[in-house]
Amino acid sequence: MLDVLRENFLQLSSFWYTTFFLYFFILMAFVYTVIFITATPYIISRYREKAIDDVYSLTRSDSVAAITFIVPAFNECKNIAWTVRNLLNLSYRYKKIIVVNDGSTDETLEILIKHFALVKIPLFSSERLQTKPIIGYYRSQEYADLMVIDKVNGGKADSLNAALNICQTPLFASTDADTLIEDTCMNYLMRPFLENKDTLVVHSSVGIVNGCKLSANRITKRAFPRNMLAAFQVIEYIRTFYCDRMCWEWSKGSLIVAGVFAFFKTDTVLEVGGYSTKSVVEDMEVIMKIHKKMGEENREYHIRFVPDIVAWTEVPTTLLALKKQRLRWYTGTTQCLYDYRKMCFDKRFKSIGLFVVPFYIFDKIIPIVELVGYLIVIIFGVILGVLDLKMFLILGLVCWGYSTLLSFALIIVEELTFRKYPDFWGTLCLLGYALFENLTYRFYILYLKLRGLIITKKAGKHWLVTPRKGYNVIGG
Amino acid sequence: MDLAYIVFVIEIVAIFVAILSIVIVRIIRNIQEHRTKQRRDALRKIFTHALQNNQLITPAEIPKALNCYLDLIVVLETFDRLFLGALWIQTKEVIIDKFLLKQAVNLLKSSSWRNNLLGLRCIALDAKRLIKTSHFSSLNHLWSHTSNFGPKGGIVIALLNHAKFIVRQLAAICLIRTEDKKLIHHVVNRMVEEYPMAQYPYRDQFIQGNTTTMSILEELAEHEKNPKVIAALLDILSARLTGNLVPLAAKYRNSPDDNCRLAAIKIFASIPGEASEVYLSEALNDPNEINRAEAAKGLGKIVAVKSIPALVLALRDKSWALRLQAAIALKSMGALGKAALFEQDQYAHPEAYKAARFVLSIP
C-alpha cells in the first residue's frame, strides 16, 4: 500500500516537475524572443543611419563640448602607455585625459612619468567628492591635456571620484586602462547627447581585442580570437550587447553600462554623489542611482546605447581569470539589484521599475531554476528512476536548440549590420562556437552565476587583478 | 513528448536555415561592397584624371554603370574637401545638374529621413548657386524666397524643423551656405531653439563662413532684440576677428542676459586694446562666476598688464574657477604677473596662495 502511494506520489510529482520546467522554458523563450525582436530594429536603424552620416563632422568641429577621459589604473604597467597614447592620438579636438594611479605596486606611475615627461604640481582640486588621500598631481610637459593623479589605493570607484574632483568638462568618459578606443568613437557616442538634451549617459558595444592585429595603438586587422575561452566570450558579448543592452532603448535605458567605456554628463554623476566605493560594480551602481534619482524626482532622462563598437578590450583567456572577473560582475550585480530591489514594480520609475528591473531579477532566477532542474534529473531520474528521462533529454535539447537559434539569429543581425569580423573565417568560427557554447562554456558560466548569487563580505574587494598579456603580445 | 520532438526538429531545421542565411548574406554583402568600391574607385580615377589635366568633365565621361547617386555624392564630397578652384566648381556644377539634382529634389520631398538626408547632401555641395540660378524654376519651392516665408516656406527650410537631428543639422548647413540674410536669420533663430550642446554644427558652419556671412551676422547682431539670438551671434563673431566688434560687444556688456554678457566678454578677449582691457576689468565683478572667470581668462589672452591689481583681487574670489583663471592670466603677463603671484601670502590669503603656487608649477 505504502509502495503504491509512494509510486503515485512520485509519478504525480514527476508530471508537475516536467510541466513546471516546460512552462518555465516557454516563459524564458518568450522573454528572450521579445527582447531579440525589440532590439533588432534599433540595431538595423542605427546601422542605416551610420551608413549615410558624416562621421568626421564632430572630430573636425571647433565647437563641440570638451570631454575628459578618466583612466583608473592599478598595476597596469603592461598597457598603460599604449592606452594613454591611444587617447592622446584621438582626433577629437577638445579632450582632457586624467589617469588615476590607484596605489599601484608595480611601475605604472614610473612608466607614465618616463613616457609622458610628467612633473609634479601642487594639490589643487575642488574636493566635491570624498576620496582616499591624494599623494600627488602630475602634469605632462609635452601633452598639455594629460594629467595624472597618484593616490592611495581606494578602488576604481574612488579613483573615478578623485578624477571627477578636478574634471571641468561637461562630459567625461570612464575607460579602463586596457581599453583601446576607436577614433570614430566620438561621433557615435556624442550623437545621442546632441540629439536629446535629456541624454545623461551613452554607452556602446565593446569588442574583444584578443587575436586582433595592432599597430601604433590602432587595430589594423580584426581577427577572431584563437583562444577558445575568448572565442566563447565573443558570442556572449554579441548576445549581451545586441540583446540585453539594445532592447531597452524604448525605455529609459539599461541598468548596466559597460565600465570599459561610457560617456557621462559630469553634473549628473556629481549630483548623485559620484561613484560608490562600497560596490564592486560601480558602473552599474551609479546607473541605478541615476535611475532612482530621476525617477523619484520625475525628471525626463535617457540612458542611450549605441550598438557600434567604440572600444576594444582584452578578455580573460584562462578559467581562473574568467572566474575572478565574472564573480565580481555577478556578485556585484546581485548586490546592486538587492540594494535597489524596492524599485521593482514601483510605478514611479515607469519602464525601469515595471520592466527593466524585473527582467534583471528574472535573469538572476534562471540559473537557480536550471540548477534545480539538473538536480531533479539526477535525483528522480537517475537515482530513483521515477522520471521520464527521455522527456527531460528532449526538453534539454529543445533548450539547447533555442539558445543556439537565438545566437545564430544574432549572428545574422551582426552579418547584416556591423560585422565585427570582416573575413569569412571569423564568421565560420562564430557559427562553430555558437553551436558548442551551450554544451560546454555555458555550464561554467552557470556555475559562476550561481556563485554570484551569494553576496559575501569579500564582495567589497576593490580591484580585479586580471593577468594581462599586454598589447604588444596580442595579435602577434 | 511528440510536440517536444517536433519542436526540436523545427529548431534543427531552423539552425540549418540560419547557417545558410549567414553564408548567403556574407556572400551578397561581400559582392555589394566590392562593387561599390570598384564604382567609387573608377569615379575617383575619372575625376582625378580630369583635374590633373585641367579638363572639365563632360557627362559622357561618366558611364551609366557608374551613375549611382550615393557613389557620386560620396566622391564629390571627398573632392570638395580637397579642391576649391574654378575648375572644380564647374565640374561640380556639371555633375550635379546632369546626374543628381532631379533625384535630390525627389529625395527631399520624401517622408523618409534617410532620403531627406541624401537629398540635402547634394544641395549642400552647391547651395549658393542653386538659390541664385533663376532657371531652376522647379527648385524655387526649395527656398520660397519671399519676404514672408515661414517655417513651411520651402523644403529645405521645412527640414530645418525635422524631428531627426542630423537632418536639421544638414539643412542648416545648406541654408548658411546660401549667404542669404533672411535665410541666415532664420537659421540663427532655429539654432537658439536647439539644446546648447546641439548647436555646434550651426556654430561650426557660421565660423567657417566667409566675410559676407560674417557681415550679415554683424548686421543681425546690431538690430536683434532677442537676447538668446544676440548671445548666439556674438558667440559666433567672437570666434572670428571681423572688423571692429568692440562697439557691438560694448552695447551688450551690461545686458541682463548672462549669455549675452559672456559672449561680449569673449569678443573683448579676442581684440586687444585699451577698450577691451577696461571692459574686461569691469567684467571681473560680473554677478555670474563663469563670466568672471572668462573675463580673467580674456585679460590673460590680451596680456592686459594694467589689470594686474584687479586680477590679484580676483585671486581672492570665492569662485575656484575665477581664482584659477586669474592666476593663469597673471602668469601669462611676464615678470610683473609672476611677481604678483609670488607675493601671495600663504596665511593672509591661503586660497589665493594655493592657486598661485599651482599655476606657477604648471609647465
Coordinates of all heavy atoms in Angstrom, one line a residue, chain B residues 72-125:
Chain B
L72 N 28.2 59.0 -56.4 CA 28.6 60.3 -56.9 C 28.7 61.3 -55.7 O 29.6 62.1 -55.7 CB 27.6 60.8 -57.9 CG 27.8 60.2 -59.3 CD1 26.6 60.5 -60.2 CD2 29.1 60.8 -60.0
I73 N 27.7 61.2 -54.8 CA 27.7 62.2 -53.7 C 29.0 62.0 -52.9 O 29.7 62.9 -52.5 CB 26.5 62.0 -52.8 CG1 25.2 62.4 -53.6 CG2 26.6 62.7 -51.5 CD1 25.0 63.9 -53.6
V74 N 29.3 60.7 -52.5 CA 30.4 60.4 -51.7 C 31.7 60.9 -52.3 O 32.6 61.6 -51.7 CB 30.5 58.9 -51.4 CG1 31.9 58.5 -50.8 CG2 29.4 58.5 -50.4
V75 N 31.9 60.7 -53.6 CA 33.1 61.1 -54.3 C 33.2 62.6 -54.4 O 34.2 63.2 -54.2 CB 33.2 60.4 -55.7 CG1 34.3 60.9 -56.5 CG2 33.3 58.9 -55.5
L76 N 32.0 63.2 -54.7 CA 32.0 64.7 -54.8 C 32.4 65.3 -53.5 O 33.1 66.3 -53.4 CB 30.6 65.2 -55.3 CG 30.3 65.1 -56.8 CD1 28.8 65.5 -57.0 CD2 31.2 65.9 -57.6
E77 N 31.9 64.8 -52.4 CA 32.2 65.3 -51.1 C 33.6 65.2 -50.8 O 34.3 66.1 -50.2 CB 31.3 64.6 -50.0 CG 29.9 65.0 -49.9 CD 29.0 64.2 -49.0 OE1 29.5 63.1 -48.6 OE2 27.9 64.6 -48.7
T78 N 34.2 64.1 -51.1 CA 35.7 63.8 -50.9 C 36.5 64.9 -51.6 O 37.4 65.5 -51.1 CB 36.1 62.4 -51.3 OG1 35.2 61.5 -50.8 CG2 37.5 62.1 -50.9
F79 N 36.2 65.1 -52.9 CA 36.9 66.0 -53.7 C 36.6 67.5 -53.3 O 37.5 68.4 -53.4 CB 36.6 65.9 -55.2 CG 37.4 64.7 -55.8 CD1 37.0 63.4 -55.6 CD2 38.5 65.0 -56.6 CE1 37.8 62.4 -56.2 CE2 39.3 63.9 -57.2 CZ 38.9 62.6 -56.9
D80 N 35.4 67.7 -52.8 CA 35.0 69.1 -52.4 C 35.8 69.5 -51.2 O 36.1 70.7 -51.0 CB 33.5 69.1 -52.0 CG 32.9 70.5 -52.2 OD1 33.3 71.2 -53.1 OD2 32.2 70.9 -51.3
R81 N 36.3 68.6 -50.4 CA 37.1 68.9 -49.2 C 38.5 69.3 -49.6 O 39.3 69.9 -48.9 CB 37.1 67.7 -48.2 CG 35.9 67.6 -47.4 CD 36.1 66.7 -46.2 NE 35.9 65.3 -46.5 CZ 34.7 64.7 -46.4 NH1 33.7 65.4 -45.9 NH2 34.5 63.5 -46.7
L82 N 38.9 68.8 -50.8 CA 40.3 69.0 -51.3 C 40.5 70.1 -52.3 O 41.6 70.7 -52.3 CB 40.8 67.7 -51.9 CG 40.8 66.4 -51.0 CD1 41.0 65.1 -51.8 CD2 41.8 66.5 -49.9
F83 N 39.5 70.4 -53.1 CA 39.7 71.3 -54.2 C 38.7 72.5 -54.0 O 37.6 72.4 -53.6 CB 39.4 70.6 -55.5 CG 40.4 69.6 -55.8 CD1 40.1 68.2 -55.6 CD2 41.6 69.9 -56.4 CE1 41.0 67.2 -55.8 CE2 42.5 68.9 -56.7 CZ 42.2 67.6 -56.4
L84 N 39.3 73.7 -54.4 CA 38.5 74.9 -54.3 C 38.4 75.7 -55.6 O 37.5 76.6 -55.8 CB 39.1 75.9 -53.3 CG 39.1 75.4 -51.8 CD1 40.0 76.3 -51.0 CD2 37.6 75.5 -51.2
G85 N 39.2 75.4 -56.5 CA 39.4 76.2 -57.7 C 38.2 76.2 -58.6 O 37.2 75.5 -58.5
A86 N 38.3 77.1 -59.6 CA 37.2 77.3 -60.6 C 36.8 76.1 -61.3 O 35.7 75.8 -61.6 CB 37.5 78.5 -61.5
L87 N 37.9 75.3 -61.7 CA 37.7 74.1 -62.5 C 36.8 73.1 -61.7 O 35.9 72.5 -62.2 CB 39.0 73.5 -62.9 CG 38.9 72.2 -63.7 CD1 38.2 72.4 -65.0 CD2 40.3 71.6 -64.0
W88 N 37.2 73.0 -60.4 CA 36.4 72.0 -59.6 C 35.0 72.5 -59.4 O 34.0 71.7 -59.5 CB 37.1 71.9 -58.2 CG 36.2 71.1 -57.3 CD1 35.6 71.6 -56.1 CD2 35.7 69.8 -57.4 NE1 34.8 70.6 -55.6 CE2 34.8 69.5 -56.4 CE3 35.9 68.8 -58.4 CZ2 34.2 68.3 -56.2 CZ3 35.2 67.6 -58.3 CH2 34.4 67.3 -57.2
I89 N 34.8 73.8 -59.2 CA 33.4 74.3 -59.1 C 32.6 74.0 -60.3 O 31.4 73.6 -60.2 CB 33.5 75.8 -58.7 CG1 34.1 76.0 -57.3 CG2 32.1 76.5 -58.8 CD1 34.4 77.4 -57.0
Q90 N 33.2 74.2 -61.5 CA 32.5 74.0 -62.7 C 32.2 72.5 -62.8 O 31.1 72.1 -63.3 CB 33.4 74.3 -63.9 CG 33.1 75.7 -64.4 CD 33.9 76.0 -65.7 OE1 35.2 76.0 -65.6 NE2 33.3 76.2 -66.8
T91 N 33.1 71.7 -62.5 CA 33.0 70.2 -62.6 C 31.8 69.8 -61.7 O 30.9 69.0 -62.1 CB 34.2 69.5 -62.1 OG1 35.3 69.9 -62.8 CG2 34.1 68.0 -62.2
K92 N 31.7 70.3 -60.5 CA 30.7 70.0 -59.6 C 29.3 70.4 -60.1 O 28.3 69.7 -60.1 CB 30.9 70.9 -58.3 CG 30.7 70.1 -57.0 CD 31.0 70.8 -55.7 CE 31.1 72.3 -55.7 NZ 31.1 72.9 -54.4
E93 N 29.3 71.6 -60.8 CA 28.0 72.1 -61.3 C 27.5 71.1 -62.4 O 26.3 70.8 -62.5 CB 28.2 73.4 -62.0 CG 28.3 74.6 -61.0 CD 28.6 75.9 -61.7 OE1 28.3 76.1 -62.9 OE2 29.1 76.8 -61.0
V94 N 28.4 70.7 -63.3 CA 28.1 69.8 -64.4 C 27.5 68.5 -63.8 O 26.4 68.0 -64.2 CB 29.3 69.6 -65.3 CG1 29.1 68.4 -66.2 CG2 29.6 70.8 -66.1
I95 N 28.2 67.9 -62.9 CA 27.8 66.6 -62.3 C 26.5 66.7 -61.6 O 25.6 65.9 -61.8 CB 28.9 66.1 -61.4 CG1 30.2 65.9 -62.0 CG2 28.4 64.7 -60.7 CD1 30.3 64.9 -63.2
I96 N 26.3 67.8 -60.8 CA 25.1 67.9 -60.0 C 23.9 68.2 -61.0 O 22.9 67.5 -60.9 CB 25.2 69.1 -59.0 CG1 26.1 68.7 -57.9 CG2 23.8 69.4 -58.4 CD1 26.4 69.8 -56.9
D97 N 24.1 69.1 -61.9 CA 22.9 69.4 -62.8 C 22.5 68.2 -63.7 O 21.4 67.9 -63.9 CB 23.3 70.6 -63.7 CG 23.5 71.8 -62.9 OD1 23.0 71.8 -61.8 OD2 24.0 72.8 -63.5
K98 N 23.6 67.5 -64.1 CA 23.2 66.4 -65.1 C 22.8 65.1 -64.4 O 21.8 64.4 -64.8 CB 24.5 66.1 -65.9 CG 24.4 65.0 -66.9 CD 23.4 65.3 -68.0 CE 23.2 64.1 -68.9 NZ 22.1 64.3 -69.8
F99 N 23.4 64.8 -63.3 CA 23.1 63.5 -62.7 C 22.3 63.4 -61.4 O 21.7 62.5 -61.0 CB 24.4 62.7 -62.4 CG 25.2 62.5 -63.7 CD1 26.4 63.1 -64.0 CD2 24.8 61.5 -64.6 CE1 27.1 62.9 -65.1 CE2 25.5 61.3 -65.8 CZ 26.7 61.9 -66.0
L100 N 22.4 64.5 -60.6 CA 22.0 64.4 -59.2 C 20.8 65.3 -58.9 O 20.0 64.9 -58.0 CB 23.1 64.8 -58.3 CG 24.4 64.0 -58.4 CD1 25.5 64.6 -57.5 CD2 24.2 62.5 -58.0
L101 N 20.6 66.4 -59.5 CA 19.7 67.4 -59.0 C 18.2 66.9 -58.9 O 17.5 67.0 -57.9 CB 19.8 68.7 -59.8 CG 19.1 69.9 -59.2 CD1 19.6 70.1 -57.7 CD2 19.4 71.1 -60.0
K102 N 17.8 66.3 -60.0 CA 16.4 65.8 -60.1 C 16.1 64.8 -59.0 O 15.1 64.9 -58.3 CB 16.2 65.2 -61.5 CG 14.8 65.0 -61.9 CD 14.7 64.5 -63.3 CE 13.3 64.1 -63.6 NZ 13.1 63.4 -64.9
Q103 N 17.1 63.9 -58.9 CA 16.9 62.9 -57.8 C 16.9 63.5 -56.4 O 16.2 63.1 -55.5 CB 17.9 61.8 -58.0 CG 17.5 60.5 -57.2 CD 18.4 59.4 -57.4 OE1 19.3 59.4 -58.4 NE2 18.3 58.3 -56.6
A104 N 17.8 64.5 -56.3 CA 17.9 65.2 -55.0 C 16.6 65.8 -54.6 O 16.1 65.7 -53.4 CB 19.0 66.2 -55.0
V105 N 16.0 66.5 -55.5 CA 14.7 67.2 -55.2 C 13.6 66.1 -54.8 O 12.9 66.3 -53.9 CB 14.2 68.0 -56.4 CG1 12.8 68.5 -56.2 CG2 15.2 69.1 -56.7
N106 N 13.6 65.0 -55.5 CA 12.7 64.0 -55.2 C 12.9 63.4 -53.8 O 12.0 63.1 -53.0 CB 12.7 62.8 -56.2 CG 12.1 63.2 -57.5 OD1 11.2 64.1 -57.6 ND2 12.5 62.6 -58.6
L107 N 14.2 63.3 -53.5 CA 14.6 62.7 -52.2 C 14.2 63.7 -51.1 O 13.7 63.3 -50.0 CB 16.1 62.5 -52.1 CG 16.6 61.3 -52.9 CD1 18.1 61.3 -53.0 CD2 16.1 60.0 -52.3
L108 N 14.3 65.0 -51.4 CA 13.9 66.0 -50.4 C 12.4 65.9 -50.1 O 12.0 66.2 -49.0 CB 14.3 67.4 -50.9 CG 15.8 67.7 -50.8 CD1 16.0 69.1 -51.5 CD2 16.3 67.8 -49.4
K109 N 11.7 65.6 -51.1 CA 10.2 65.6 -50.9 C 9.7 64.3 -50.2 O 8.6 64.2 -49.7 CB 9.5 65.6 -52.2 CG 9.6 66.9 -53.0 CD 8.8 66.8 -54.3 CE 9.3 67.8 -55.3 NZ 8.8 67.5 -56.7
S110 N 10.6 63.3 -50.0 CA 10.3 62.0 -49.4 C 9.9 62.2 -48.0 O 10.4 63.1 -47.3 CB 11.4 61.1 -49.6 OG 11.3 59.9 -48.8
S111 N 9.1 61.3 -47.4 CA 8.8 61.3 -46.0 C 9.9 60.6 -45.2 O 9.9 60.6 -43.9 CB 7.5 60.7 -45.8 OG 7.5 59.4 -46.3
S112 N 10.8 59.9 -45.8 CA 11.8 59.2 -45.1 C 13.0 60.1 -44.8 O 13.5 60.8 -45.7 CB 12.3 58.0 -46.0 OG 13.7 57.7 -45.6
W113 N 13.4 60.1 -43.5 CA 14.5 61.0 -43.1 C 15.8 60.6 -43.9 O 16.6 61.5 -44.2 CB 14.7 60.9 -41.6 CG 15.3 59.7 -41.1 CD1 14.5 58.7 -40.5 CD2 16.6 59.3 -41.0 NE1 15.4 57.6 -40.1 CE2 16.7 58.0 -40.4 CE3 17.8 59.8 -41.4 CZ2 17.8 57.3 -40.2 CZ3 19.0 59.1 -41.2 CH2 19.0 57.9 -40.6
R114 N 16.0 59.4 -44.2 CA 17.2 58.9 -44.8 C 17.3 59.5 -46.2 O 18.3 60.0 -46.6 CB 17.1 57.4 -44.9 CG 18.4 56.7 -44.9 CD 18.3 55.2 -44.7 NE 19.6 54.7 -45.0 CZ 20.0 54.3 -46.2 NH1 19.2 54.4 -47.2 NH2 21.3 53.8 -46.4
N115 N 16.1 59.6 -46.9 CA 16.1 60.2 -48.3 C 16.3 61.7 -48.2 O 17.0 62.3 -49.0 CB 14.8 59.9 -48.9 CG 14.7 58.4 -49.4 OD1 15.7 57.7 -49.5 ND2 13.4 57.9 -49.6
N116 N 15.7 62.3 -47.1 CA 15.9 63.7 -47.0 C 17.4 64.1 -46.8 O 17.9 65.0 -47.4 CB 15.1 64.2 -45.7 CG 13.6 64.1 -45.8 OD1 12.9 64.0 -44.8 ND2 13.1 64.1 -47.1
L117 N 18.0 63.2 -46.0 CA 19.5 63.5 -45.8 C 20.3 63.3 -47.0 O 21.2 64.1 -47.3 CB 19.9 62.5 -44.7 CG 21.3 62.8 -44.0 CD1 21.1 64.0 -43.1 CD2 21.7 61.6 -43.2
L118 N 19.9 62.3 -47.8 CA 20.7 62.1 -49.1 C 20.4 63.3 -50.0 O 21.4 63.7 -50.7 CB 20.2 60.8 -49.7 CG 20.7 59.5 -49.0 CD1 20.0 58.3 -49.6 CD2 22.2 59.4 -49.2
G119 N 19.2 63.8 -50.1 CA 18.9 64.9 -50.9 C 19.7 66.2 -50.4 O 20.2 66.9 -51.2
L120 N 19.7 66.4 -49.1 CA 20.4 67.6 -48.6 C 21.9 67.5 -48.9 O 22.6 68.5 -49.0 CB 20.2 67.6 -47.1 CG 18.8 68.2 -46.7 CD1 18.6 68.0 -45.2 CD2 18.6 69.6 -47.1
R121 N 22.4 66.3 -48.9 CA 23.9 66.2 -49.1 C 24.2 66.7 -50.5 O 25.3 67.3 -50.7 CB 24.3 64.7 -49.0 CG 24.5 64.3 -47.6 CD 24.8 62.8 -47.4 NE 26.2 62.5 -47.7 CZ 26.7 61.3 -47.5 NH1 26.0 60.3 -47.0 NH2 27.9 61.1 -47.9
C122 N 23.3 66.5 -51.5 CA 23.6 67.1 -52.8 C 23.4 68.6 -52.8 O 24.3 69.3 -53.3 CB 22.5 66.5 -53.8 SG 22.6 67.2 -55.4
I123 N 22.4 69.1 -52.1 CA 22.2 70.6 -52.1 C 23.3 71.2 -51.4 O 23.8 72.3 -51.8 CB 20.8 70.9 -51.4 CG1 19.7 70.2 -52.0 CG2 20.6 72.4 -51.3 CD1 19.4 70.6 -53.5
A124 N 23.9 70.6 -50.3 CA 24.9 71.2 -49.5 C 26.2 71.4 -50.4 O 27.0 72.3 -50.1 CB 25.3 70.3 -48.3
L125 N 26.4 70.6 -51.4 CA 27.6 70.7 -52.2 C 27.6 72.0 -53.0 O 28.6 72.6 -53.4 CB 27.6 69.6 -53.2 CG 28.0 68.2 -52.6 CD1 27.7 67.1 -53.6 CD2 29.5 68.2 -52.3

